[in-house]
């Protein structure tokens, strides 16, 4: 009888231990705040942009690439207000985020300049550049604008205050010894800018977007336009002073152009924080650049390891740096 009672006690204690373990009463395998679920799977949030833009659908496709090619990773793309909002989100100290940004916005965030004035984010690091977003100075033929100097006295849209387009407009005017005081400024988005040129209320607009840009194509179908080019010495000067820019040629035939136009671009890029695991970033970078053929977006053909450093002026994450150096990419010195 005593033996039966002893055996019953052992059974009860064993059952109790199993129940406590199932309820999380033990410490092994418990989930914390690091973005990992039980079993070691790593959750990654991919911050993109608005649902109508390029970042969001491209981000969804990149998330699928990561999920298919990196062990124990569950990446999810989420819509955001794009570059500036994404950099601010990275400043909150989360080490399970990968974010889209323009190369210039990432530079401003790292330096604590312009829209990040006094609030530099020194923890952000680059994974790599993706594709160019062209700085396009679009003017109507009727405006008579052929050069940057011709913008003087004209009504010109330079994007919203604090936007990347606004900053680029000031940079380009600056290398031509001009300021926004030399033009009649309008702060309009792309759609408003092209509508304004169509109805004759503005003469020109700075537009930062991948080419061809739909809004500009629509405008050029009804209103003859000119794309204002930059002189080569000015391109060289701008890139030397602000290395987040890269040279870019708008090919003949785009918007019915008869000749190619030389300008500059900033690049869309992926950014994370220094706290993200090096091996994880290495594997994600490798998966991205070695599986671009599986990205279901037209920008995929522009995403290449050999251009991963284009326009990038913030430090590379050690994991991304290791992969890109193995791939033979020349990275800028830190």
């Amino acid at each position: 009888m005593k033996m039966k009672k002893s055996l019953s006690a052992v059974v009860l204690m064993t059952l109790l231990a199993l129940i406590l373990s199932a309820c999380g009463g033990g410490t092994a395998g418990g989930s914390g705040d690091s973005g990992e679920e039980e079993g070691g799977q790593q959750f990654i949030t991919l911050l993109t942009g608005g649902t109508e833009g390029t970042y969001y659908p491209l981000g969804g496709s990149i998330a699928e690439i990561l999920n298919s090619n990196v062990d124990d990773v569950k990446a999810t793309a989420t819509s955001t207000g794009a570059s500036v909002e994404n950099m601010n989100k990275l400043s909150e100290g989360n080490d399970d985020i990968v974010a889209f940004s323009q190369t210039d916005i990432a530079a401003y965030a790292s330096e604590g300049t312009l829209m990040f004035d006094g609030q530099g984010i020194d923890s952000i690091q680059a994974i790599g550049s993706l594709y160019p977003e062209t700085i396009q100075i679009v003017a109507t033929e009727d405006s008579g604008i052929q050069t940057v100097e011709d913008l003087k006295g004209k009504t010109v849209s330079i994007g919203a205050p604090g936007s990347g387009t606004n900053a680029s407009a000031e940079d380009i005017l600056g290398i031509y010894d001009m300021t926004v005081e030399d033009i009649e400024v309008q702060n309009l988005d792309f759609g408003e800018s092209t509508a304004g040129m169509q109805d004759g209320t503005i003469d020109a607009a700075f537009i930062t977007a991948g080419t061809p840009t739909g809004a500009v194509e629509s405008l050029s179908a009804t209103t003859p336009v000119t794309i204002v080019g930059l002189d080569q010495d000015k391109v060289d000067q701008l890139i030397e002073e602000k290395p987040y820019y890269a040279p870019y040629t708008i090919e003949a035939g785009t918007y019915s152009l008869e000749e190619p136009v030389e300008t500059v671009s900033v690049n869309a890029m992926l950014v994370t924080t220094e706290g993200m695991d090096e091996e994880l970033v290495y594997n994600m970078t490798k998966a991205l650049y070695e599986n671009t053929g599986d990205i279901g977006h037209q920008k995929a053909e522009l995403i290449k390891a050999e251009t991963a450093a284009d326009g990038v002026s913030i430090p590379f994450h050690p994991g991304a740096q290791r992969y890109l150096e193995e791939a033979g990419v020349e990275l800028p010195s830190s």
Side-chain angles (χ1 to χ4, degrees):
M1 192 71 176
K2 287 182 179 180
M3 184 177 292
K4 288 182 178 180
K5 287 182 178 180
S6 298
L7 287 172
S8 297
V10 170
V11 170
L12 286 171
M13 290 177 67
T14 302
L15 287 171
L16 181 60
L18 289 171
I19 291 169
L20 286 171
S21 175
C23 292
T27 57
S31 61
D33 298 322
S34 63
E36 292 185 2
E37 73 166 354
E38 191 170 333
Q41 190 172 35
Q42 176 78 46
F43 285 105
I44 301 296
T45 300
L46 195 58
L47 303 180
T48 61
T51 56
E52 299 301 317
T54 298
Y55 287 178
Y56 181 70
L58 179 59
S61 190
I62 289 176
E64 292 178 6
I65 294 292
L66 300 181
N67 294 337
S68 298
N69 294 278
V70 183
D71 292 340
D72 299 323
V73 160
K74 177 61 177 176
T76 304
T78 185
S79 176
T80 71
S83 299
V84 175
E85 180 180 322
N86 293 351
M87 295 303 95
N88 284 325
K89 189 69 176 177
L90 286 176
S91 73
E92 296 175 4
N94 298 312
D95 294 329
D96 54 1
I97 291 176
V98 172
F100 277 75
S101 177
Q102 290 179 190
T103 49
D104 56 337
I105 301 299
Y108 302 147
S110 180
E111 297 164 355
T113 56
L114 294 180
M115 67 284 291
F116 301 96
D117 186 24
Q119 301 293 325
I121 308 170
D122 56 12
S123 62
I124 59 173
Q125 295 184 335
I127 289 178
S129 189
L130 300 174
Y131 63 89
E133 296 189 318
T134 315
I135 314 299
Q136 304 167 78
I137 306 175
V138 184
T140 62
E141 282 191 2
D142 287 345
S143 71
I145 297 170
Q146 296 290 326
T147 67
V148 174
E149 291 95 332
D150 291 339
L151 294 173
K152 288 183 178 179
K154 301 291 187 179
T155 303
V156 183
S157 173
I158 62 172
S163 68
T165 299
N166 191 287
S168 294
E170 292 193 7
D171 287 343
I172 288 173
L173 291 172
I175 61 171
Y176 282 89
D177 298 321
M178 296 167 60
T179 73
V180 292
E181 302 296 325
D182 293 309
I183 61 177
E184 296 293 329
V185 171
Q186 293 289 308
N187 297 116
L188 307 175
D189 65 24
F190 297 169
E192 293 168 334
S193 295
T194 53
M197 282 186 280
Q198 189 167 28
D199 64 25
T201 57
I202 66 172
D203 301 304
F206 284 79
I207 293 178
T208 304
T211 53
T213 304
V216 182
E217 283 188 307
S218 297
L219 173 66
S220 66
T222 60
T223 305
V225 299
T226 297
I227 307 298
V228 179
L230 305 184
D231 299 301
Q232 188 59 54
D233 63 325
K234 300 298 186 182
V235 169
D236 294 341
Q237 177 186 343
L238 185 60
I239 294 171
E240 182 178 356
E241 293 178 0
K242 302 178 186 295
Y244 43 79
Y245 288 107
Y248 191 86
T249 302
I250 302 175
E251 299 294 343
T254 308
Y255 314 131
S256 301
L257 293 172
E258 295 183 0
E259 297 180 353
V261 174
E262 300 304 323
T263 183
V264 293
S265 68
V266 291
N267 276 28
M269 67 180 297
L270 292 180
V271 183
T272 189
T273 57
E274 61 186 3
M276 184 171 275
D277 179 73
E278 179 177 334
E279 195 66 21
L280 175 61
V281 176
Y282 172 88
N283 289 329
M284 290 196 299
T285 308
K286 179 181 176 71
L288 169 63
Y289 288 110
E290 293 188 3
N291 293 279
T292 56
D294 295 330
I295 296 177
H297 194 281
Q298 61 183 5
K299 293 296 184 185
E301 64 184 28
L302 301 174
I303 302 174
K304 305 172 184 177
E306 54 262 39
T307 58
D310 285 4
V312 177
S313 62
I314 67 172
F316 276 84
H317 189 285
Q321 179 175 334
R322 177 154 60 94
Y323 169 73
L324 293 172
E325 287 178 344
E326 288 177 3
V329 180
E330 184 176 347
L331 301 180
S333 56
S334 301

